[in-house]
Amino acid sequence: MTSVALALYDGAMLFEAAAACEVFGVDRELTDTWYDFRVCGPRRSPVGGWLRVDTPYGLDALATADTVVVAACADIDTAPPPDLVAAVRAAHDRGARLVSLCTGAFVLAAAGVLDGRRATTHWEHAAALAARYPRVQVDPDVLYTDETTVLTSAGKAAGMDLCLHIVALDHGAAVANALARRLVVPPHRAGGQAQYATAPAAPDTAPALAGLQHWALERLDEPLTVPDLARRANMSTRNLTRRFTAATGLTPLRWLHTQRIRRARELLETTDDSVELIATRTGMGTAATLRRHFHRALGVPPDTYRRTFRDRHGAAAAAG
């Protein structure tokens, strides 16, 4: 029987911890053997702002677990408890499988176990993780990563995706699918977390470029090119590219593409427009082009995105 230890600590988040408890801590008799599950942490540590840990297992119990799951932390700017970091590092050195849920990745990174590995966390905090731990290969778009002995999940509900993935690894897809049905969740979600991230707006820039951006945003349905933008700004294409990249971090062409995807997301959420019409309204030209670029940017096709994020009130208002 594989033993799983959930590490809780002062500042751990409740949602992700509960997901691990539901998956690994409840034997629903889907297979002959289930996990030997323990919740570990300092006594009376607050969890999620509502509860306090009352468990006979301290963080020292992580040393005997086959799999250690680290719950998310509420404040990424507060250093994780040193005893937690030490226990996680010791478990890793012993050969345990390490799993972080959401911002629990910051704990694994502090322990040094993510160095040179691909990892993820909540999309809002991915940039902070990459900046603070430059040796970690942060992927902000996926729902989870699997580096065999170290696994990380994106934000919130993605922790459930990763837990089900681990069940599939340990017990097979049929058991994981059966468990997902019992939990009334999908066994596998399409795409990554890029589709859930807030669509970027035009960044603040110098007044001259801000005016150019506003002009371009009003003409996204037109086949704008970088030379078109350069002529509007009375610059050479080379000079525009240099100044635009310095001000926004994106080339003019990349910025145009990003804004077209953003506009497509808005239209999919709030209108009944067909994919073909949205392709026209966003300057993508054809539905095939929109589908290709949309899937590449967000990991799902436009139709799937619309079903997931449909704003029925917005669509009704638009229709009216």
Side-chain angles (χ1 to χ4, degrees):
M1 183 178 293
T2 302
S3 59
V4 176
L6 172 64
L8 296 183
Y9 50 96
D10 189 349
M13 299 292 286
L14 179 59
F15 185 96
E16 295 83 346
C21 291
E22 280 293 326
V23 171
F24 303 117
V26 181
D27 185 356
R28 294 175 172 83
E29 300 182 349
L30 300 174
T31 185
D32 291 339
T33 59
W34 201 242
Y35 298 95
D36 176 15
F37 181 72
R38 295 180 178 182
V39 178
C40 308
R43 297 290 296 274
R44 306 297 295 164
S45 291
V47 176
W50 300 282
L51 307 175
R52 290 187 177 273
V53 174
D54 186 13
T55 173
Y57 303 105
L59 292 175
D60 58 322
L62 300 183
T64 62
D66 299 314
T67 298
V68 173
V69 181
V70 180
C73 61
D75 184 1
I76 64 169
D77 294 321
T78 299
D83 54 345
L84 171 65
V85 174
V88 167
R89 187 181 297 117
H92 172 70
D93 292 342
R94 187 183 51 77
R97 178 173 58 183
L98 300 183
V99 178
S100 69
L101 306 181
C102 191
T103 49
F106 283 83
V107 177
L108 298 195
V113 302
L114 294 183
D115 289 353
R117 299 179 187 271
R118 181 167 166 261
T120 193
T121 188
H122 193 290
W123 58 266
E124 283 189 316
H125 305 301
L129 181 64
R132 194 172 305 168
Y133 301 100
R135 297 184 63 185
V136 181
Q137 301 169 15
V138 179
D139 188 339
D141 295 334
V142 296
L143 292 175
Y144 56 81
T145 65
D146 181 349
E147 295 283 287
T148 307
T149 58
V150 180
L151 302 91
T152 62
S153 87
K156 293 298 179 182
M160 180 66 76
D161 293 299
L162 178 55
C163 290
L164 289 172
H165 171 70
I166 292 170
V167 171
L169 292 175
D170 295 342
H171 297 284
V175 172
N177 291 347
L179 176 58
R181 293 188 186 96
R182 295 286 290 274
L183 296 174
V184 199
V185 296
H188 177 77
R189 283 193 290 167
Q193 68 169 337
Q195 59 186 303
Y196 300 96
T198 302
D204 293 330
T205 63
L209 291 183
L212 177 64
Q213 288 176 326
H214 180 74
W215 178 84
L217 288 173
E218 291 186 333
R219 294 164 175 79
L220 286 181
D221 59 325
E222 300 177 11
L224 295 177
T225 64
V226 176
D228 291 333
L229 296 179
R231 281 192 294 271
R232 177 67 184 181
N234 293 317
M235 300 180 191
S236 67
T237 56
R238 182 176 180 180
N239 189 34
L240 173 67
T241 299
R242 179 181 59 80
R243 291 186 58 183
F244 204 100
T245 304
T248 69
L250 299 172
T251 65
L253 186 62
R254 185 63 186 171
W255 179 85
L256 269 176
H257 178 75
T258 299
Q259 297 310 313
R260 285 183 166 127
I261 294 295
R262 178 188 63 84
R263 180 69 55 81
R265 291 173 66 172
E266 292 176 351
L267 294 174
L268 288 167
E269 293 176 16
T270 61
T271 75
D272 291 317
D273 290 353
S274 66
V275 174
E276 289 77 9
L277 180 55
I278 291 175
T280 300
R281 293 183 63 182
T282 58
M284 291 286 189
T286 67
T289 300
L290 173 59
R291 288 190 175 97
R292 182 174 68 254
H293 288 297
F294 199 92
H295 193 283
R296 184 178 300 164
L298 300 182
V300 292
D303 294 328
T304 300
Y305 182 88
R306 168 171 269 168
R307 286 194 298 269
T308 303
F309 294 97
R310 180 69 171 177
D311 181 349
R312 298 187 184 280
H313 296 293

